Amino acid sequence: MKSDLELNQELALERAEELRRELDKHNYRYYVLDEPVIPDDQYDQMMRELERLEKEFPAIASPHSPTQRVGGKPREGFTTIHHLTPMQSLANAFSEGDLREFDRRVRQALLPGETVEYVVEMKIDGLAVSLYYQDGVITWGATRGDGQVGEDITDNLKTIMSVPLRLHQKVPELEVRGEAFMPKKSFSRLNEAREEAGEPLFANPRNAAAGTLRQLDPRVTASRQLDLFVYGIGLNRGEAPDKHEAALSLLSELGFKVNPQHKLFNNLDEVIEYCQHWQTRRFDLPYMIDGLVLKVNSLTLQKRLGATMKSPRWAIAYKFPPERAITRVKNIFVRVGRTGVLTPTAELEPVQLAGTTVSKATLHNEDNIREKDIRIGDLVLVHKAGDIIPEILASLPEKRTGREEIWSMPRQCPACGSQVERPEGEAAARCTGMACPERLWEGLVHFASRNAMDINGLGPAVTGQLLSAGVISDPADLYTLSAADLLPLERLGAKSVQNLLAAIAASKNASLDRLIFALGIRHVGERAAKILAGHYGSLDRLMSTTREELVNIPEIGPKITASIVSFFENDQNRKVINKLIEAGVNTFNEKEDRAGGNHLSGQVFVLTGTLENYSRQQAKALVERLGGKVTSIVSRNTSYVVAGENPGSKYDKALDLGVPILNEKEFKEMTEKYL
Ligand code: IVH
């Protein structure tokens, strides 16, 4: 006879498996396909139920449960792993001529009557990794190392949400190869935070990805949002495809994220055209590529071509030349950030670089300027770190005229005159003035920004005016503003004043995670804010938390913890928060206290065109308040496309797929009856 415990455990396991399957499925939709079908809170609810079950019945735990993505404990160091098949690297081509030479050699291996097809892929600028699955379950993951032996970074790779923990089919044994990378956005966000914290910056997304995967604490890896594209198979003891393109399809079907920009060619001229196309369009991609990879499609031909000591003869990397430009430093000025960090910035003679005109470049800090010996008036070599952040690589001292000026960090804050300090061992200089208007200004602009409290109409200029007029001195003061305070401001007519006051009032209902993000706590970005909001459910509970509780939350590392604790210890900050609460700003998680109910739960909306009465953010907030979800891609899973004036291609796609289309009036009727 089975005991009660055994019976309960069986039931728990059954439910846990059901939840795991559901969570895996939604995770795949969200991170691999970018087509979420359920609202975040429904996902979070399932995750919490699963966590509870696994805690109550430790025997049902499983290393590939979605709760175990950030399950690993910090390590002392990494152990090594032998790759089952060697990880080769690619030979490079730098010109059209090199590609033609490669093609010629491939053709020499063709049998009479045979033709060659090439698959051309993006060459993702990240870090080569190998993943090994047994019976469809992830077993280990490793860096390339010397090609034979790599480092075991399984725990870190599992934190990458697009890496499947279980495959869609139980293939007996599979070793896959891919590129782990840091998307451009995550890279610039990470470096911004590091700059504010006075920490050394990563030179490019590749270094950032490498540093992140070699982190000993998987929670830190998880917080940095890496991603992974899979591009090939190492060892496979399942059914083996005979074309590279079929291998990519198989990998997709198994649940891996395969870069969609691969294309098949049977003609080298078209390959070359495709390479040239991406050389200029690469800046539009959300991740960095440093070239393209040509691969012979037929695996039979690949085998026949074989490999040299270093690289296969059936593939080649076409590398882009790095984008650089030369221009002159007109001046160097200092920007004061939210946390008081003084960042020197170079004003440049405008120059075309990586797809945009650049007229400013961050100089990061004093040491960087000194090391590179950058002077006002210098000709300098510029590039964009991560394709985004303009940076000076070097000065060109041989071009000096003698009239260049050496720059040094001001001793007093250019905004408030307070003393500037540079703490021992830190690269950043900081303004020490608590009420520095520049810090206040940056903080307020952040508070009102689109992803924070989303106060439409409260941009940098109006915020600056409000501060200099002395009508506000912290974010909570916004909620006591009246028309009389605003009307005297320059360029604010009666209508704008009315709109601004309405936007400020509406922001009181912003979700808790937005509020937490808006507070501008160092290191607490949007993701951390969401996690904290989900964990605590109210600002009050977050404020009275402990260091111990914080460090135990997945993805909240020691640095974020320290910063949160010190933020809430500060009397000034507590005062502002109390004022916000008094003003009636929402400090609860909508899950527990959703004003709009769950009427649109499970419904996925896509917005296109301009709506007359709602900004994008407002329409999105409205749907979310009612429990719905807004995404940007129309698919068969989309419930409604809301089309305003001049709708884009999403409208056509909706027609194509037969997704219901709502006009603004219908959207209004659908949502407002619940409010
Ligand atoms: S194929 C034996 N495909 O580029 C062939 N590599 O030396 C193995 N890379 O670090 C490489 N994107 O990780 C291939 N679509 C792609 C790639 C790619 C990036 C990296 C690879 C390695 C380097 C090639």
Side-chain angles (χ1 to χ4, degrees):
M1 264 258 299
K2 283 183 184 162
S3 69
D4 278 357
L5 174 70
E6 279 170 331
L7 281 174
N8 283 341
Q9 198 157 287
E10 256 172 42
L11 285 175
L13 180 61
E14 212 173 285
R15 174 70 182 145
E17 271 304 312
E18 187 182 350
L19 287 165
R20 287 168 188 164
R21 270 195 303 275
E22 275 295 292
L23 285 161
D24 278 347
K25 182 176 91 189
H26 291 299
N27 198 52
Y28 174 72
R29 295 256 164 92
Y30 190 95
Y31 290 99
V32 179
L33 301 182
D34 196 14
E35 286 177 359
V37 281
I38 54 163
D40 287 359
D41 61 341
Q42 216 166 308
Y43 181 90
D44 294 345
Q45 241 165 24
M46 286 196 274
M47 191 63 129
R48 275 202 295 268
E49 185 185 344
L50 181 58
E51 276 165 357
R52 265 200 313 271
L53 281 173
E54 290 177 352
K55 202 165 162 200
E56 199 177 332
F57 300 96
I60 69 168
S62 150
H64 45 263
S65 167
T67 55
Q68 299 307 304
R69 284 220 176 249
V70 203
K73 294 271 166 301
R75 291 170 163 245
E76 300 278 317
F78 294 108
T79 51
T80 54
I81 275 182
H82 277 263
H83 299 300
L84 302 176
T85 45
M87 284 183 83
Q88 292 172 309
S89 58
L90 295 172
N92 291 325
F94 296 100
S95 65
E96 195 183 315
D98 290 349
L99 288 178
R100 291 198 187 278
E101 177 57 25
F102 167 75
D103 180 53
R104 199 183 55 76
R105 266 179 287 141
V106 169
R107 283 177 195 279
Q108 278 176 352
L110 294 181
L111 303 175
E114 215 178 9
T115 54
V116 58
E117 286 180 327
Y118 293 114
V119 177
V120 182
E121 297 171 8
M122 302 292 114
K123 185 170 184 303
I124 314 294
D125 199 7
L127 200 74
V129 300
S130 188
L131 293 162
Y132 178 61
Y133 291 78
Q134 261 176 326
D135 294 325
V137 171
I138 191 161
T139 312
W140 50 253
T143 59
R144 176 172 180 275
D146 64 4
Q148 306 288 337
V149 178
E151 278 177 323
D152 179 350
I153 51 164
T154 314
D155 289 343
N156 285 340
L157 286 171
K158 279 167 77 176
T159 71
I160 300 179
M161 299 302 279
S162 56
V163 169
L165 301 180
R166 288 195 286 192
L167 303 180
H168 294 175
Q169 291 160 37
K170 255 194 174 181
V171 279
E173 204 180 354
L174 179 74
E175 190 189 30
V176 300
R177 300 286 156 77
E179 194 83 350
F181 64 96
M182 185 174 283
K184 290 178 190 172
K185 243 201 213 142
S186 314
F187 169 73
S188 47
R189 216 179 288 151
L190 174 64
N191 261 0
E192 247 167 58
R194 289 174 78 88
E195 189 146 286
E196 281 282 341
E199 293 168 22
L201 303 184
F202 288 111
N204 51 50
R206 180 172 15 96
N207 287 6
T212 302
L213 279 178
R214 299 202 69 258
Q215 270 292 328
L216 293 169
D217 184 350
R219 283 173 307 182
V220 178
T221 313
S223 72
R224 294 209 191 144
Q225 298 170 42
L226 296 180
D227 206 340
L228 187 124
F229 281 127
V230 158
Y231 55 65
I233 296 178
L235 177 94
N236 178 15
R237 281 201 220 291
E239 217 171 290
D242 63 349
K243 297 254 163 65
H244 178 63
E245 217 187 22
L248 293 180
S249 307
L250 172 67
L251 290 168
S252 261
E253 278 160 30
L254 290 175
F256 292 102
K257 188 159 170 171
V258 174
N259 189 297
Q261 318 286 0
H262 57 84
K263 212 170 157 182
L264 188 68
F265 293 92
N266 53 21
N267 161 331
L268 192 76
D269 288 328
E270 284 170 20
V271 168
I272 290 170
E273 216 171 282
Y274 193 64
C275 290
Q276 283 160 349
H277 166 83
W278 280 109
Q279 189 148 333
T280 48
R281 301 315 304 238
R282 64 180 141 147
F283 308 111
D284 303 338
L285 293 169
Y287 45 83
M288 263 189 99
I289 59 171
D290 59 342
L292 287 102
V293 184
L294 267 69
K295 296 177 182 171
V296 166
N297 194 23
S298 153
L299 298 197
T300 321
L301 183 52
Q302 283 191 7
K303 268 198 211 99
R304 202 184 306 148
L305 283 158
T308 66
M309 288 290 283
K310 283 191 300 209
S311 44
R313 290 199 193 88
W314 46 264
I316 195 158
Y318 173 71
K319 298 272 281 228
F320 298 139
E323 278 274 319
R324 289 175 179 181
I326 291 177
T327 187
R328 193 176 298 281
V329 176
K330 292 207 296 199
N331 202 356
I332 294 177
F333 60 93
V334 169
R335 228 176 42 85
V336 187
R338 253 184 304 134
T339 52
V341 172
L342 272 62
T343 311
T345 307
E347 192 187 332
L348 304 172
E349 266 169 21
V351 64
Q352 270 305 111
L353 179 65
T356 63
T357 308
V358 166
S359 55
K360 273 190 210 124
T362 172
L363 289 164
H364 303 303
N365 55 53
E366 218 176 344
D367 292 351
N368 176 50
I369 299 178
R370 194 155 312 136
E371 275 154 27
K372 293 183 180 156
D373 186 20
I374 298 165
R375 305 182 187 182
I376 300 173
D378 263 349
L379 275 179
V380 288
L381 187 64
V382 285
H383 83 144
K384 278 186 188 164
D387 280 352
I388 309 181
I389 308 158
E391 227 174 36
I392 296 181
L393 286 168
S395 61
L396 305 176
E398 64 280 11
K399 305 274 187 193
R400 281 184 186 146
T401 62
R403 287 197 299 274
E404 293 73 18
E405 280 170 56
I406 295 179
W407 180 89
S408 60
M409 183 63 85
R411 301 236 176 104
Q412 260 111 31
C413 170
C416 72
S418 304
Q419 208 179 322
V420 170
E421 250 178 24
R422 185 170 159 189
E424 185 74 27
E426 274 201 22
R430 281 172 206 278
C431 164
T432 52
M434 266 308 287
C436 172
E438 198 69 23
R439 281 177 69 179
L440 278 175
W441 179 72
E442 289 268 2
L444 274 160
V445 170
H446 169 75
F447 184 84
S449 64
R450 212 158 56 117
N451 296 340
M453 300 299 270
D454 190 24
I455 306 180
N456 216 339
L458 192 64
V462 176
T463 310
Q465 286 198 54
L466 287 170
L467 279 169
S468 17
V471 282
I472 57 170
S473 56
D474 64 47
D477 289 340
L478 291 171
Y479 297 97
T480 59
L481 286 177
S482 67
D485 296 319
L486 297 173
L487 280 168
L489 300 187
E490 260 173 61
R491 284 195 297 270
L492 268 194
K495 181 80 187 145
S496 326
V497 165
Q498 204 185 346
N499 288 345
L500 179 53
L501 287 172
I504 292 174
S507 75
K508 287 186 190 173
N509 296 324
S511 54
L512 176 62
D513 59 303
R514 279 175 174 269
L515 176 64
I516 294 173
F517 175 58
L519 291 175
I521 307 170
R522 247 213 272 176
H523 307 308
V524 177
E526 284 171 76
R527 184 164 169 82
K530 275 213 165 77
I531 293 167
L532 293 167
H535 183 89
Y536 290 98
S538 81
L539 188 59
D540 204 44
R541 268 181 251 157
L542 171 62
M543 266 171 92
S544 48
T545 186
T546 58
R547 200 178 289 270
E548 291 66 41
E549 179 161 5
L550 278 163
V551 281
N552 281 314
I553 304 174
E555 293 188 50
I556 303 296
K559 226 168 46 189
I560 305 184
T561 297
S563 167
I564 294 170
V565 169
S566 95
F567 183 88
F568 289 118
E569 267 170 10
N570 180 307
D571 281 344
Q572 184 69 24
N573 294 337
R574 296 186 83 92
K575 240 187 241 162
V576 173
I577 290 171
N578 286 332
K579 273 168 74 180
L580 285 169
I581 295 172
E582 274 165 31
V585 171
N586 166 49
T587 54
F588 291 92
N589 212 347
E590 44 185 41
K591 273 191 278 303
E592 283 158 41
D593 195 19
R594 189 201 293 288
N598 276 317
H599 304 285
L600 298 183
S601 166
Q603 312 272 33
V604 185
F605 287 72
V606 174
L607 308 170
T608 178
T610 320
L611 298 175
E612 202 181 322
N613 292 303
Y614 310 83
S615 71
R616 273 285 161 95
Q617 288 296 318
Q618 281 168 333
K620 182 165 186 268
L622 182 56
V623 171
E624 285 171 352
R625 213 169 132 201
L626 294 168
K629 177 102 204 153
V630 175
T631 70
S632 54
I633 295 171
V634 182
S635 75
R636 287 183 207 286
N637 296 319
T638 311
S639 318
Y640 300 100
V641 166
V642 181
E645 281 291 301
N646 300 322
S649 60
K650 292 173 189 158
Y651 184 87
D652 302 329
K653 180 116 187 257
L655 283 179
D656 248 14
L657 296 178
V659 172
I661 298 175
L662 302 176
N663 62 26
E664 179 162 353
K665 186 160 159 272
E666 290 163 330
F667 174 66
K668 188 164 179 229
E669 281 165 7
M670 170 178 278
T671 49
E672 293 204 341
K673 65 178 171 214
Y674 298 123
L675 295 179

